[in-house]
């Protein structure tokens, strides 16, 4: 009750930035509801979400697959995509996302839809560009325009930029999921890869409605400890991606030692952090250590963290209330990752 709000406000003002608290008008339009998707095993829904505020409108297109064999409300993996909804699967009926002309199925290897459906989970996804097209020149198209922040110059030093906008988007999808009669909103598994892994950790910290948080290879500004300065550093990330974190974060360029916090804050909800052995840029050891140290906080709640500060052998997950694996291979989302996330969700939700 005391320390958590303090830490949250430091993370907000110094790292990820504040989102304006204005209430935005939201409407949902069902564009598709088809019960014979994925060879008849799933229902595919596509929902257009419209946000309006100050006379400005922004739209996001949500794609969902829900298992037909589950007769009760289903738990759902919510995972934003990088290249447009149509790239998640070769399903010809997926409506392409507004900011992408990438080919159908282009990212299908990262989205084992059948496996997720067979395991009794739904899948919900949106192209992350719908909330902030990922470029330092595209503030005007982002949802920040709704709040009178259509360019970088309009944003205060502690104001949210792209990561805060994506995080806002994850929370708005949760608002929708709470209204969907087929979804168990108390069992939403929030997942993000890489820059969206940074985002999913921030969403997990700010929006406790998510039952489980998964960070896949999130690196600097995600699960990796900034003070280690291994792989990508605060200085590098703020130069390469000036539109991601709040401007105050730049104060710590080459001065990680002055950060008042480091990257561990989700307790007591189940948390899974994963690394890949060859993804040195994300600093697997740093991702592991922040996860291990977070265990101290889970202990305060009588729960088990990783219970070791020695990195496990590759491909050997540790699965307590806090979970971790370091898989062989490069920066990616693979079947190995998904199989373990499903096991973890089964452990805590079923
Ligand atoms: C890299 C960036 C990382 C990570 C990654 C990704 O270019 O340096 O922080 O976010 O992109 O999102 O794929």
């Amino acid at each position: 009750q005391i320390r958590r709000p303090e830490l949250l406000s430091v993370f907000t003002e110094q790292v990820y930035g504040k989102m304006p608290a204005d209430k935005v008008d939201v409407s949902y339009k069902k564009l598709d509801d088809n019960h014979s998707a994925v060879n008849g095993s799933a229902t595919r829904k596509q929902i257009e979400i419209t946000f309006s505020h100050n006379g400005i409108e922004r739209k996001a297109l949500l794609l969902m697959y829900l298992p037909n064999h589950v007769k009760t409300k289903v738990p759902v993996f919510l995972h934003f995509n990088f290249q447009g909804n149509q790239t998640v699967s070769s399903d010809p009926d997926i409506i392409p996302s507004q900011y992408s002309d990438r080919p159908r199925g282009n990212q299908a290897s990262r989205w084992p839809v059948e496996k997720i459906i067979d395991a009794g989970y739904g899948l919900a996804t949106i192209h992350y560009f719908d909330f902030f097209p990922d470029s330092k020149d595209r503030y005007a198209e982002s949802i920040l325009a709704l709040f009178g922040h259509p360019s970088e110059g309009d944003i205060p030093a502690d104001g949210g930029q792209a990561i805060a906008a994506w995080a806002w988007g994850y929370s708005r999808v949760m608002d929708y999921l709470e209204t969907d009669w087929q979804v168990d909103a108390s069992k939403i598994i929030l997942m993000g890869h890489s820059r969206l892994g940074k985002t999913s950790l921030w969403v997990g910290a700010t929006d406790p409605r998510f039952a489980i948080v998964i960070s896949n290879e999130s690196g600097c500004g995600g699960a990796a400890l900034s003070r280690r300065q291994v792989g990508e550093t605060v200085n590098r990330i703020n130069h390469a991606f000036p539109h991601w974190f709040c401007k105050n974060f730049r104060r710590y360029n080459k001065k990680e030692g002055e950060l008042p916090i480091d990257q561990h804050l989700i307790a007591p909800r189940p948390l899974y952090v994963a690394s890949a052995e060859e993804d040195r840029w994300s600093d697997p050891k740093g991702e592991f250590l922040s996860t291990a140290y977070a265990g101290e906080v889970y202990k305060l709640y009588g729960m088990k963290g990783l219970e070791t500060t020695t990195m496990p052998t590759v491909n050997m997950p540790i699965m307590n209330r806090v979970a971790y694996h370091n898989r062989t291979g490069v920066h990616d989302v693979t079947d190995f990752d998904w199989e373990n996330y499903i096991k973890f969700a089964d452990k805590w939700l079923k």
Side-chain angles (χ1 to χ4, degrees):
Q1 281 172 15
I2 298 167
R3 191 59 180 142
R4 187 173 199 284
E6 284 173 2
L7 290 170
L8 259 180
S9 73
V10 178
F11 270 106
T12 305
E13 287 157 25
Q14 305 296 319
V15 184
Y16 301 104
K18 271 188 199 143
M19 280 301 286
D22 312 25
K23 194 130 176 43
V24 166
D25 287 329
V26 184
S27 64
Y28 306 125
K29 186 171 168 193
K30 204 194 285 174
L31 303 181
D32 176 34
D33 190 356
N34 183 302
H35 300 266
S36 47
V38 194
N39 303 317
S41 65
T43 295
R44 184 191 56 241
K45 283 196 198 180
Q46 300 184 77
I47 316 282
E48 183 184 74
I49 310 179
T50 304
F51 303 102
S52 24
H53 195 50
N54 294 326
I56 299 176
E57 233 179 52
R58 291 286 175 274
K59 288 185 189 294
L61 181 61
L62 175 66
L63 166 68
M64 296 170 71
Y65 288 103
L66 301 171
N68 288 336
H69 71 276
V70 180
K71 300 298 172 206
T72 51
K73 285 172 173 264
V74 287
V76 170
F77 280 92
L78 171 59
H79 183 26
F80 283 8
N81 65 75
F82 284 112
Q83 296 191 359
N85 291 353
Q86 74 278 11
T87 65
V88 163
S89 147
S90 52
D91 180 344
D93 295 314
I94 297 176
I95 306 167
S97 291
Q98 58 188 333
Y99 295 122
S100 167
D101 51 14
R102 301 287 186 118
R104 285 187 189 279
N106 207 35
Q107 293 250 292
S109 72
R110 290 186 173 188
W111 298 85
V113 179
E114 283 174 42
K115 210 174 251 175
I116 297 165
I117 294 296
D118 287 351
Y121 292 89
L123 176 65
T125 186
I126 288 194
H127 184 210
Y128 79 135
F129 272 40
D130 285 358
F131 297 102
F132 195 124
D134 192 359
S135 149
K136 65 178 171 35
D137 307 316
R138 297 183 70 178
Y139 286 80
E141 293 155 274
S142 79
I143 49 105
L144 297 181
L146 297 173
F147 305 103
H149 293 168
S151 73
E152 205 243 352
D154 303 312
I155 297 180
D158 64 353
Q161 305 205 83
I163 291 183
W166 299 326
W168 184 91
Y170 268 108
S171 289
R172 298 296 73 76
V173 178
M174 174 56 116
D175 296 344
Y176 166 76
L177 295 173
E178 287 182 327
T179 71
D180 191 312
W181 65 277
Q182 286 170 297
V183 169
D184 185 345
S186 72
K187 294 184 176 170
I188 306 300
I189 307 129
L190 166 69
M191 174 171 167
H193 170 61
S194 210
R195 61 200 69 184
L196 294 175
K198 309 179 203 304
T199 308
S200 71
L201 288 171
W202 181 230
V203 179
T206 52
D207 189 338
R209 291 176 295 172
F210 292 94
I212 292 183
V213 179
I214 301 174
S215 146
N216 198 75
E217 300 159 31
S218 56
C220 179
L225 292 170
S226 302
R227 289 192 185 97
R228 279 171 46 83
Q229 303 170 51
V230 171
E232 190 173 28
T233 60
V234 171
N235 183 50
R236 283 291 297 266
I237 206 164
N238 279 332
H239 278 97
F241 307 102
H243 61 294
W244 281 4
F245 299 88
C246 74
K247 295 174 188 171
N248 278 340
F249 195 41
R250 300 173 193 165
R251 291 184 186 167
Y252 306 98
N253 289 351
K254 300 193 176 160
K255 290 188 194 145
E256 285 86 347
E258 292 179 17
L259 273 163
I261 38 75
D262 217 319
Q263 297 302 119
H264 30 338
L265 179 78
I266 303 284
R269 279 163 299 150
L271 166 70
Y272 201 131
V273 173
S275 310
E277 193 183 19
E278 291 170 54
D279 183 17
R280 310 307 302 177
W281 191 237
S282 294
D283 183 17
K285 175 105 192 246
E287 293 179 324
F288 167 75
L289 285 175
S290 69
T291 315
Y293 296 147
E296 290 302 315
V297 186
Y298 283 76
K299 258 196 231 158
L300 296 175
Y301 292 91
M303 290 162 182
K304 271 187 171 180
L306 297 182
E307 311 241 289
T308 172
T309 46
T310 308
M311 243 179 127
T313 319
V314 284
N315 300 333
M316 292 290 287
I318 303 175
M319 245 189 240
N320 297 321
R321 186 82 173 181
V322 181
Y324 177 83
H325 72 237
N326 186 22
R327 112 171 120 61
T328 40
V330 297
H331 188 66
D332 196 3
V333 185
T334 68
D335 279 12
F336 178 87
D337 298 321
W338 274 105
E339 281 156 18
N340 285 293
Y341 300 154
I342 289 171
K343 264 190 218 154
F344 188 62
D346 284 350
K347 180 179 165 93
W348 292 108
L349 300 181
K350 288 209 169 154

